[in-house]
Amino acid sequence: MEDLVVRDAEVVDGSGGPSYRADVVVDGGRIVSIVKEAAAAGCQRPSAMRELDAEGLVLSPGFIDMHAHSDLALLRDPDHSAKVAQGVTLEVIGQDGLSYAPVDERTLEEVRRAITGWNGYGEDVDFDWRTVGEYLDRLDRGIDGRGIAVNAAYLIPQGTVRALVMGWEDRPVTPEELARMRELVAQGLEQGAVGLSSGLTYTPGMYADDAELTELCRVVAGYGGYYCPHHRSYGAGALEAYAEMVELAGRAGCPLHLAHATMNFGVNAGRAGELLDLLDRALDAGADITLDTYPYTPGCTTLAALLPSWASEGGPERVLARLADPATAERIRRELEVTGSDGCHGVPVEWDTIEVSGVADPSLGAHVGRTVRELAEAGGEAPWQAARRLLVEDRLGTTILQHVGHEENVRAIMRHRAHTGGSDGILRGAKPHPRAYGTFPRYLGHYVRESGVLSLEECVAHLTSRPAARLRLPDRGLVREGYRADLVLFDPETVAPGATFAAPRALPAGIPHVLVDGRFAVEDGRRTDVLAGRSVRRTPG
């Protein structure tokens, strides 16, 4: 007897084609048969040890989060309902050029400090790995040797590689250093990473020039991986930054996936069409390009990320020393408020758009939910002084929401033929961005059912088969016989995010069942204790 038959589901199979009614049989973690229109045809119904009545529910492939920051959460949180409850069955981590492998003792400590705002410091995690392969093995073991909540693929973080080889210095790479970086990228790909990420507004990755990045991308291309840059600007110069990445990937012959491909800040209102024209010209000329977005207008990052790159050179302790020096702090202020720092995408900062979403020091919790301007007014000081004080007191661990997006741009980009879904979800902080808990049901509820921006079939393809194709996964992303039984059942009439900016950790509605590797991770709307996730490694060839 097979494990499970899902009866009378409306199957949206991820291909983008019309839905159909079927019984779907699961056994041994795979889809073993699909019997279409079983009830209406009066044929012999498939049987299994367990039956699930899916009347009124859509059955689709599990959703793939193409931009996730769960690098430590997967190892510390067995529940992980932030993603599981959304129907996510695979996350792509190692994003924005900074993560925890490959490292040595020095680099690991520096990276932990640098991205405390994304993932926490990790004091509750045993960092018993150093290489990419060892980190993937650690994901396979997961929590107490039982695995992790969902599957995970890993991008080699270019900034971490640069830090490992040459520290956090703003200088050109030497030939010997570049050879070592190429070697580390090749090793990571051989050990199972799916590609390379960059954070080109974050140190130290932002110090790499195009020639350095092109050489690393040539290595990635040779292994069949892809390059995923957080490029040099999402504000002033955004189009030029996108064009730079398209040209760079073309020179390297490397597939390109543009991370959280937004057009933000006032200078880019209504300009999504210019970006899409750029991408269409490249695609029509034969380029291999995809992108991901989250279905919200505000962004989320760390407060320290807004600083100019020269102020961040040398790592966290050097940053804090510069902030403590009045003359240097005044230079930083002028660049932030007048010139527009590269950390703030070349746009002069508007402090009333910068909302504190989380702090590393619990004693600073009263700041959460307030803009920097509000903090300044409450303290009777200038906004920069309030921001500077918070950076120092929280030792750069503060996360922020940036209210700088445009709805018309969000909608235009999500319609594009190269689009996929990614939450960019930061799970730490008292008031995280609701995209961490709400991205996928928001696509299905708001942008499909309520707004009609996408059809249901098209939207599911954006969230399943398109990401699987980018990741070169031959047996995921579609409801097909022989494919992995990573599946989600949702009610198309009620699916919706529970998370809001006021209550960002509320779980979604209308997603009663989620299967990871054929096992119920969510059953009847409740998280089970199943930990069926493992690392998903690059397909050779």
Side-chain angles (χ1 to χ4, degrees):
M1 292 284 287
E2 280 74 24
D3 294 336
L4 171 71
V5 57
V6 181
R7 293 243 186 256
D8 295 323
E10 190 66 24
V11 177
V12 178
D13 67 5
S15 69
S19 65
Y20 57 86
R21 192 176 175 89
D23 292 350
V24 177
V25 183
V26 172
D27 187 53
R30 293 189 179 270
I31 300 168
V32 296
S33 69
I34 302 170
V35 182
K36 295 184 179 181
E37 299 290 346
C43 64
Q44 179 68 37
R45 306 293 295 271
S47 59
M49 290 187 290
R50 176 172 178 187
E51 296 186 4
L52 175 63
D53 182 2
E55 183 70 37
L57 299 178
V58 166
L59 172 70
S60 82
F63 306 134
I64 298 175
D65 188 341
M66 286 296 287
H67 193 102
H69 288 284
S70 301
D71 307 49
L72 299 185
L74 286 166
L75 297 174
R76 63 155 62 100
D77 179 15
D79 182 75
H80 201 45
S81 284
K83 297 301 178 65
V84 182
Q86 293 187 63
V88 171
T89 59
L90 170 61
E91 299 183 90
V92 185
I93 56 178
Q95 299 285 351
D96 294 329
L98 288 168
S99 189
Y100 305 96
V103 292
D104 57 14
E105 294 296 325
R106 170 189 60 83
T107 310
L108 175 60
E109 174 60 24
E110 292 168 344
V111 169
R112 289 176 67 181
R113 288 284 308 281
I115 54 176
T116 293
W118 293 356
N119 301 318
Y121 181 68
E123 60 278 357
D124 52 348
V125 174
D126 180 10
F127 289 88
D128 58 352
W129 66 85
R130 294 296 178 267
T131 69
V132 169
E134 288 168 352
Y135 176 64
L136 296 178
D137 290 343
R138 181 72 172 82
L139 291 173
D140 286 340
R141 295 195 307 276
I143 297 170
D144 299 328
R146 296 182 295 134
I148 51 180
V150 301
N151 299 301
Y154 188 70
L155 294 165
I156 303 164
Q158 170 258 329
T160 300
V161 169
R162 199 175 207 268
L164 178 59
V165 172
M166 56 187 295
W168 298 65
E169 300 177 20
D170 182 3
R171 64 172 176 81
V173 65
T174 68
E176 294 77 17
E177 290 167 337
L178 182 57
R180 178 57 178 154
M181 288 185 199
R182 286 173 53 91
E183 181 182 15
L184 287 168
V185 171
Q187 287 175 356
L189 291 161
E190 289 170 358
Q191 291 166 2
V194 296
L196 177 76
S197 77
S198 284
L200 300 180
T201 65
Y202 300 126
T203 56
M206 67 182 348
Y207 301 138
D209 62 19
D210 283 4
E212 178 182 327
L213 296 171
T214 299
E215 285 304 306
L216 299 183
C217 285
R218 288 191 171 117
V219 177
V220 174
Y223 282 89
Y226 69 93
Y227 180 44
C228 180
H230 164 128
H231 53 273
R232 297 189 193 275
S233 176
Y234 291 82
L239 287 173
E240 293 81 358
Y242 281 113
E244 176 193 7
M245 294 297 101
V246 171
E247 185 176 326
L248 185 156
R251 284 198 305 272
C254 186
L256 176 66
H257 181 84
L258 296 166
H260 38 60
T262 57
M263 291 285 286
N264 288 341
F265 302 91
V267 294
N268 289 318
R271 298 185 67 190
E274 297 175 58
L275 167 62
L276 301 181
D277 287 344
L278 167 70
L279 298 181
D280 282 335
R281 289 193 297 272
L283 288 164
D284 291 343
D288 183 356
I289 300 173
T290 51
L291 57 90
D292 66 69
T293 69
Y294 48 85
Y296 296 86
T297 52
C300 180
T301 187
T302 63
L303 184 59
L306 306 184
L307 300 176
S309 57
W310 60 264
S312 298
E313 183 185 4
E317 291 303 325
R318 296 273 294 277
V319 178
L320 290 167
R322 293 185 182 104
L323 289 168
D325 177 67
T328 307
E330 172 58 21
R331 181 185 170 196
I332 294 171
R333 181 205 66 78
R334 181 169 180 80
E335 194 156 332
L336 275 170
E337 295 185 343
V338 179
T339 308
S341 79
D342 48 5
C344 197
H345 307 277
V347 178
V349 68
E350 296 176 347
W351 294 114
D352 55 351
T353 69
I354 307 300
E355 177 186 356
V356 177
S357 61
V359 290
D361 183 346
S363 70
L364 301 171
H367 296 329
V368 173
R370 306 172 77 183
T371 68
V372 170
R373 186 171 299 281
E374 289 170 341
L375 293 175
E377 291 172 352
E381 58 188 341
W384 163 240
Q385 293 305 322
R388 176 189 177 195
R389 177 169 47 79
L390 182 56
L391 284 164
V392 172
E393 291 178 357
D394 206 27
R395 298 191 61 79
L396 311 181
T398 306
T399 52
I400 59 170
L401 302 180
Q402 278 188 285
H403 296 272
V404 293
H406 306 283
E407 179 66 17
E408 69 274 22
N409 286 348
V410 170
R411 292 182 177 221
I413 294 169
M414 75 169 63
R415 293 188 184 103
H416 193 261
R417 55 176 160 156
H419 175 263
T420 68
S423 72
D424 196 12
I426 294 175
L427 303 172
R428 304 290 285 184
K431 193 174 181 286
H433 196 305
R435 67 192 184 191
Y437 285 74
T439 284
F440 295 88
R442 181 167 169 82
Y443 270 119
L444 298 168
H446 182 66
Y447 287 102
V448 172
R449 183 181 65 248
E450 296 173 2
S451 302
V453 174
L454 298 169
S455 72
L456 179 59
E457 289 84 356
E458 183 181 13
C459 183
V460 168
H462 288 214
L463 308 181
T464 59
S465 64
R466 285 190 190 177
R470 165 52 73 221
L471 295 168
R472 299 181 64 205
L473 302 178
D475 58 355
R476 299 179 194 265
L478 292 167
V479 179
R480 291 281 191 276
E481 292 181 355
Y483 274 56
R484 295 273 185 179
D486 292 342
L487 301 168
V488 57
L489 289 107
F490 62 90
D491 184 341
E493 300 302 319
T494 64
V495 62
T500 64
F501 287 98
R505 287 192 169 89
L507 298 181
I511 306 179
H513 304 289
V514 180
L515 285 82
V516 178
D517 199 36
R519 300 169 63 192
F520 281 94
V522 174
E523 186 174 8
D524 295 323
R526 297 182 182 87
R527 177 72 171 99
T528 71
D529 61 359
V530 164
L531 293 171
R534 299 292 185 272
S535 69
V536 173
R537 309 195 186 209
R538 182 186 59 85
T539 303

